[in-house]
């Protein structure tokens, strides 16, 4: 059997860098360490590293001025902990644009192309690119692989991908890209041969979206040009009447920076509740806080509407999969989101749902409902191993 390869998976966000270190060989994928570099760009930065059993093995205070500093600090911690030498690095990138429909080995040409996509995702792409460049500066010969959250959706039909806008905007790249594709890809692999003709996967976290999969291929998805679209999320509003944006620009004097803060950081569950973007906090508070209760009610209602819309696109529904932090753990959200979907043959078993079982649908439900934990880091590690070490 070939020696295992050590692969670092990095997901650089606007304020944190999550990572996981894997030992990958034929038939074996083992976590070596994982953790986060938190509060990038703010005071009070911290790096936390856990071992394969989830035990803390390092926690240090660092001033993480920018993603490059965070990545450099991670490598310093790895060296101090004497973790295995790296063989490759995989990166999760939010956007691949119209032309990057599969993971790719990082090259100077790819980095240049990704920089042209910054305008499509200005909150996410700069940090991801800086993470790649930080690794290259420290270890110039270390192979790197870029995995794109948009790639899974590139097979959607044009009727789902296009906005009803002039064709010159389509040619300029303004289209529905969809996101959470690495998570969806992992779920598809986890399902294996259990992929029915009509499938919806609901990735519910602070960012949330759904995809309709027909005969194993993406048919439609809820997010659009940016991760702010679709249905309501933790701090994002989902789809808005375009007139709202025009009114805020013309009637309220908003500028682009104010709009960006509104649709990315101040809306959704946080905006409606005025309390928190965290679903658990809102579920705990809704008995005594009417605004928290309304936020949860709206969230579940919009999830239900999205399921119904995608089921219509599919012509019915055979399997619904919940994943992501909320999808995997918030039984109350799953139950309330599925209320009123009996016309799709969907019925939840309350006990199975409360205990977070793999299958939570009732025995007589024509549509099965499952809860499957996602693992985007592992998906990135698999892609990196396949591209960098094709012989295993």
């Amino acid at each position: 059997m070939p020696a295992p390869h050590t692969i670092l998976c990095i997901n650089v966000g606007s304020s944190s860098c999550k990572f996981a270190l894997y030992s990958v060989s034929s038939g074996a994928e083992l976590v070596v360490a994982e953790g986060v570099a938190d509060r990038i760009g703010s005071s009070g930065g911290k790096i936390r590293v856990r071992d394969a059993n989830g035990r803390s093995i390092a926690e240090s205070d660092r001033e993480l001025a920018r993603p490059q500093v965070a990545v450099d600090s991670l490598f310093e911690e790895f060296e101090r902990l004497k973790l295995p030498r790296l063989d490759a690095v995989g990166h999760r990138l939010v956007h691949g644009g119209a032309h990057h429909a599969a993971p790719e080995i990082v090259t100077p040409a790819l980095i240049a192309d990704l920089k042209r996509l910054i305008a499509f995702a200005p909150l996410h792409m700069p940090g991801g690119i800086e993470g790649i460049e930080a690794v290259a500066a420290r270890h110039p010969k270390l192979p790197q692989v870029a995995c794109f959250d948009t790639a899974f959706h590139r097979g959607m039909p044009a009727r789902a991908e296009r906005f009803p806008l002039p064709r010159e905007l389509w040619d300029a790249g303004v289209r529905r890209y969809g996101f959470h594709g690495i998570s969806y890809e992992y779920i598809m692999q986890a399902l294996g041969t259990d992929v029915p003709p009509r499938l919806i996967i609901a990735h519910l976290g602070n960012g949330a979206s759904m995809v309709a999969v027909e005969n194993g291929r993406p048919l439609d998805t809820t997010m659009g040009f940016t991760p702010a679209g679709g249905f309501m999320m933790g701090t994002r509003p989902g789809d808005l009447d375009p007139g709202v944006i025009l009114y805020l620009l013309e009637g309220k004097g908003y500028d682009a920076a104010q709009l960006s803060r509104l649709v990315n950081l101040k809306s959704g569950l946080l905006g409606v509740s005025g309390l928190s973007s965290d679903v658990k906090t809102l579920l705990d508070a809704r008995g005594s806080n009417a605004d928290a209760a309304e936020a949860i009610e709206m969230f579940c209602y919009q999830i239900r509407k999205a399921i119904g819309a995608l089921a219509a696109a599919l012509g019915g529904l055979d399997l619904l999969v919940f994943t992501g932090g909320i999808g995997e753990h918030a039984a109350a959200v799953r139950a309330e989101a599925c209320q009123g979907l009996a016309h799709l043959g969907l019925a939840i078993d309350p006990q199975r749902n409360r205990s977070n079982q793999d299958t939570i649908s009732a025995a007589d439900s024509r549509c099965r409902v499952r809860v499957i934990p996602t693992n985007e880091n592992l998906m990135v590690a698999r892609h990196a191993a396949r591209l960098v070490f094709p012989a295993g």
Side-chain angles (χ1 to χ4, degrees), residues 24-374:
V24 179
S25 61
S26 299
E29 300 161 331
L30 303 175
V31 175
V32 176
E34 58 186 352
V36 64
D38 218 355
R39 298 186 63 81
I40 296 173
S42 304
S43 60
K46 189 177 290 289
I47 293 179
R48 299 179 179 88
V49 186
R50 303 182 301 273
D51 65 13
N53 297 311
R55 293 184 298 243
S56 176
I57 55 175
E59 185 169 313
S60 61
D61 296 323
R62 302 274 189 126
E63 289 304 314
L64 306 174
R66 45 187 309 116
Q68 178 182 352
V69 177
V71 172
D72 284 339
S73 298
L74 287 181
F75 278 104
E76 291 169 7
E77 285 294 327
F78 296 163
E79 292 166 5
R80 186 181 68 79
L81 292 168
K82 295 182 169 54
L83 295 177
R85 180 182 62 85
L86 296 180
D87 297 308
V89 178
H91 299 263
R92 177 194 173 201
L93 294 175
V94 164
H95 224 298
H99 304 297
H100 299 288
E104 298 178 36
I105 298 284
V106 172
T107 64
L110 176 61
I111 292 175
D113 201 19
L114 294 177
K115 287 181 177 179
R116 287 190 283 270
L117 294 174
I118 287 175
F120 286 11
L123 293 181
H124 298 86
M125 291 299 286
I129 294 168
E130 192 171 322
I132 292 173
E133 293 179 328
V135 173
R138 195 175 186 94
H139 297 289
K141 294 184 178 180
L142 191 62
Q144 299 190 72
V145 171
C147 301
F148 309 104
D149 240 1
T150 51
F152 180 82
H153 306 285
R154 292 285 57 76
M156 291 193 307
R159 65 177 182 270
E161 197 172 20
R162 282 185 177 273
F163 288 120
L165 294 169
R167 287 187 176 271
E168 59 264 28
L169 291 175
W170 166 269
D171 296 335
V174 179
R175 60 190 68 182
R176 298 181 66 245
Y177 287 100
F179 298 89
H180 294 127
I182 297 171
S183 174
Y184 294 138
E185 190 177 5
Y186 177 84
I187 296 301
M188 292 295 289
Q189 288 195 8
L191 287 170
T193 59
D194 185 23
V195 179
R198 302 171 301 183
L199 163 67
I200 293 174
I201 307 171
H203 179 106
L204 306 181
N206 189 53
S209 71
M210 292 184 205
V211 66
V213 180
E214 183 177 52
N215 297 318
R217 300 289 300 168
L219 179 70
D220 205 343
T221 189
T222 55
M223 279 183 171
F225 182 64
T226 75
F231 56 89
M232 178 181 181
M233 293 168 254
T235 60
R236 305 172 214 166
D239 291 340
L240 289 172
D241 178 343
V244 172
I245 300 299
L246 294 175
Y247 169 72
L248 294 175
L249 285 169
E250 298 171 358
K252 289 294 187 179
Y254 275 54
D255 59 21
Q258 288 173 301
L259 284 175
S260 178
R261 287 193 295 273
L262 177 72
V263 301
N264 287 292
L265 302 174
K266 298 174 68 176
S267 299
L269 292 166
L270 175 63
V272 173
S273 71
L275 175 65
S276 176
S277 63
D278 179 66
V279 162
K280 185 178 185 304
T281 299
L282 297 179
L283 287 171
D284 290 342
R286 66 174 171 170
S288 57
N289 184 317
D291 293 339
E294 184 175 40
I296 290 293
E297 181 183 12
M298 288 177 61
F299 183 54
C300 295
Y301 174 68
Q302 292 196 15
I303 292 170
R304 188 184 316 131
K305 282 207 304 182
I307 293 170
L310 293 181
L314 288 163
L317 186 57
D318 303 308
L319 174 62
L320 170 64
V321 175
F322 285 104
T323 193
I326 298 169
E328 294 164 25
H329 303 294
V333 169
R334 294 193 301 258
E336 292 178 35
C338 289
Q339 286 177 0
L341 297 179
H343 64 288
L344 296 176
L346 192 155
I348 297 291
D349 182 293
Q351 178 55 41
R352 289 178 179 175
N353 185 44
R354 282 194 297 270
S355 55
N356 293 317
Q357 294 185 25
D358 175 279
T359 298
I360 62 171
S361 46
D364 60 350
S365 178
R366 295 195 311 276
C367 171
R368 287 182 300 139
V369 184
R370 294 184 62 186
V371 178
I372 302 177
T374 194

